[in-house]
Amino acid sequence: MSTIIPQTMGQQYGRRSWAEPWKIKMVEPIHMISREERAQNLIDAGFNTFLLPSDGVYIDLLTDSGTSAMSDRQWAGMMLGDEAYAGSRNFYHLVEAIQTYYGYKHIVPTHQGRGAEHLISQAIITKGDYIPGNMYFTTTRLHQELAGGTFVDVIIDEAHDPINPHPFKGNMDIAKLEALVNKVGAEHIPYVSLAGTVNMAGGQPVSMANVRAIRQWADRYGIRVYLDATRMVENCFFIQEREDGYANMPIAAILKEFCSYTDGAWMSAKKDNLVNIGGWLAVNHEDVFEKARNMVVVYEGLHTYGGMAGRDMEALAIGIAESVSDDHVHSRVGQVRYLGELLTDWGVPIVQPVGGHAIFLDAKRFYPHIPQSQFPSQTLTAALYLDSGVRSMERGVVSAGRDPETGDHRYPALELTRLTIPRRVYTQAHMDVVAESVKAIYGARDQERGLKMVYEPDYLRFFQARFERVGRG
Ligand code: F0G
């Protein structure tokens, strides 16, 4: 194998070996069911990994959302839940943690990320507005559309190319932002929707130079900049690793600086923040805060709990502090990279460079004989589950959905299958099992056939759509 340890990790610790900054105190048994049972499960689930019962899954790489292992400190915090309907002490701890580590002024808690997306979209989008962003995310774009807006992708072209080695493939193209202003007028652009590590591009980071340039550009037109901070801590790892001047700055300081160029953020705390449920919206402007704080009582819960129990908010406040520790972030991204380097060495086509939270298999190169209309990435999720009980997720044409204007499938350039690594959950041996299974199905790729969609829900179809195999039986 080529080097497992990225340069900065070796430099930081002065030696090659490293390991997780924790040890295991409680375990959850898992086991692999038989191939026959897995084959039956696939048919019952309509070849959609979201519809599989988790008891039928061996290693669950569906998502890194809400799947983290909490620390003993977080579990201890759960016992300190103040379940008062109003003014829970845990809410104040949460506010303090967000202000300390992200630096925003006003906080509105929500049950998870999409609750916060709903609030910000309804608060500041007017029908007919345009919202530029660095590649769409499924729930983010849907909430922008439901508020009457149109999402416009302004990510750099390199992001759509799975093998382009650009170090910051999450960056926005300022020329594309400028072109949008020229086309629709600044008054129809309420904000720039900037995501830290771009999920759909393969977990690719945004540079500090880029967020600074976006801020400068937005100030010229009086446009606000809001951040999807869901995996922003992981983004900071890449800035520390790759951007001049940041090698010796702690992750926490990089995070604070990055956020200082934005007007607020929404957060799925189920990712970076190391909890199983929760989210928040944080904004600096009083007017947006007023609206969001009023709306949260309609859709989520009172503005001092927003759908979370007091104990959840305490675990979240502690999780935020743990999530910005350099040791934690290095080992988290290091594990993802370990799996990526195994697959790269074995010649399996994956998105390069490897991002922060997942390995993305490139289904177009994996199954060149399966047309995109037959869902190659969905096919790959099914093949992997059948081979080893490993659950992954489609991030291609199914996730992209239909164009609201034409009703046609959107055919994204990236047709990917995501192997998402939960935080602090699996070991290196689990990564080896996953890599070996991917290698095995890659070896047998010629025999694989595509799928046809036989049921399609109206919204976010990838969660509930059903499929059958095309061709023979
Ligand atoms: N933004 C990003 C970048 C996300 O990845 C997600 C969720 C959300 C917002 C919405 O947050 O799930 O808490 O409501 N992503 C999950 C995933 C579902 O598997 O990538 P949520």
Side-chain angles (χ1 to χ4, degrees), residues 63 112-114 117 137 139 199 228 230-231 268 271 418:
T63 177
Q112 59 181 76
R114 70 199 72 179
E117 289 172 342
F137 183 70
T139 57
N199 195 351
D228 183 336
T230 297
R231 298 184 184 85
S268 171
K271 282 82 160 177
R418 190 179 72 173

Side-chain angles (χ1 to χ4, degrees), residues 87-370:
S88 159
R89 93 173 65 88
N90 314 116
F91 168 71
Y92 300 107
H93 294 167
L94 174 59
V95 168
E96 195 186 333
I98 297 168
Q99 289 172 340
T100 302
Y101 293 105
Y102 291 85
Y104 300 116
K105 281 197 195 121
H106 307 294
I107 316 304
V108 180
T110 60
H111 78 286
Q112 59 181 76
R114 70 199 72 179
E117 289 172 342
H118 176 216
L119 298 182
I120 185 107
S121 303
Q122 294 292 335
I124 54 183
I125 296 172
T126 311
K127 197 169 164 27
D129 279 349
Y130 293 83
I131 302 96
N134 49 346
M135 200 173 273
Y136 84 100
F137 183 70
T138 53
T139 57
T140 316
R141 181 179 63 190
L142 180 60
H143 279 296
Q144 291 163 349
E145 288 173 353
L146 289 172
T150 301
F151 175 83
V152 181
D153 189 5
V154 295
I155 202 165
I156 57 172
D157 289 342
E158 287 87 338
H160 297 282
D161 174 358
I163 56 171
N164 190 303
H166 193 293
F168 290 103
K169 276 166 101 173
N171 281 353
M172 284 186 178
D173 185 337
I174 305 291
K176 290 184 187 174
L177 283 169
E178 190 65 25
L180 184 66
V181 165
N182 291 336
K183 192 169 157 212
V184 305
E187 67 280 14
H188 295 298
I189 305 177
Y191 66 104
V192 173
S193 178
L194 176 68
T197 74
V198 179
N199 195 351
M200 304 302 273
Q204 304 296 333
V206 178
S207 69
M208 195 70 88
N210 192 241
V211 70
R212 259 189 239 117
I214 294 165
R215 176 79 265 170
Q216 270 184 3
W217 176 85
D219 283 347
R220 277 186 19 224
Y221 296 103
I223 294 172
R224 290 179 182 173
V225 180
Y226 287 104
L227 176 69
D228 183 336
T230 297
R231 298 184 184 85
M232 189 59 222
V233 170
E234 291 165 6
N235 195 112
C236 295
F237 168 88
F238 294 108
I239 291 176
Q240 192 186 56
E241 181 184 59
R242 298 173 186 171
E243 200 161 351
D244 280 350
Y246 291 94
N248 296 315
M249 194 186 274
I251 295 285
I254 298 173
L255 179 67
K256 199 79 176 269
E257 182 185 335
F258 196 103
C259 293
S260 75
Y261 300 122
T262 67
D263 296 302
W266 65 89
M267 180 75 188
S268 171
K270 301 168 74 175
K271 282 82 160 177
D272 263 2
N273 288 171
L274 298 166
V275 286
N276 304 121
I277 193 71
W280 45 264
L281 176 68
V283 294
N284 289 337
H285 289 103
E286 199 83 31
D287 58 332
V288 184
F289 176 53
E290 287 269 339
K291 280 191 194 168
R293 187 179 54 175
N294 191 202
M295 220 183 329
V296 78
V297 302
V298 181
Y299 294 103
E300 305 276 320
L302 194 73
H303 57 279
T304 57
Y305 75 85
M308 284 181 280
R311 55 180 173 269
D312 295 334
M313 292 190 282
E314 190 63 28
L316 173 50
I318 298 168
I320 289 173
E322 291 181 359
S323 76
V324 299
S325 122
D326 281 52
D327 283 353
H328 162 71
V329 188
H330 289 178
S331 88
R332 188 292 185 275
V333 181
Q335 187 181 42
V336 174
R337 196 167 274 183
Y338 171 78
L339 176 58
E341 293 196 352
L342 271 182
L343 293 172
T344 304
D345 285 354
W346 292 345
V348 176
I350 66 171
V351 172
Q352 302 284 2
V354 168
H357 65 303
I359 299 302
F360 290 73
L361 305 174
D362 184 351
K364 280 187 183 171
R365 282 187 291 150
F366 207 101
Y367 292 138
H369 58 289
I370 301 180

Side-chain angles (χ1 to χ4, degrees), residues 411-456:
Y411 285 106
L414 297 175
E415 177 72 25
L416 309 174
T417 294
R418 190 179 72 173
L419 306 170
T420 340
I421 317 299
R423 295 166 187 78
R424 309 194 292 205
V425 171
Y426 290 115
T427 66
Q428 192 155 322
H430 289 114
M431 297 301 111
D432 290 338
V433 170
V434 172
E436 284 166 17
S437 178
V438 172
K439 187 181 178 202
I441 59 168
Y442 189 54
R445 60 191 177 278
D446 294 346
Q447 286 131 55
E448 204 56 51
R449 283 176 289 138
L451 297 168
K452 59 176 184 241
M453 200 185 292
V454 294
Y455 167 70
E456 179 176 357

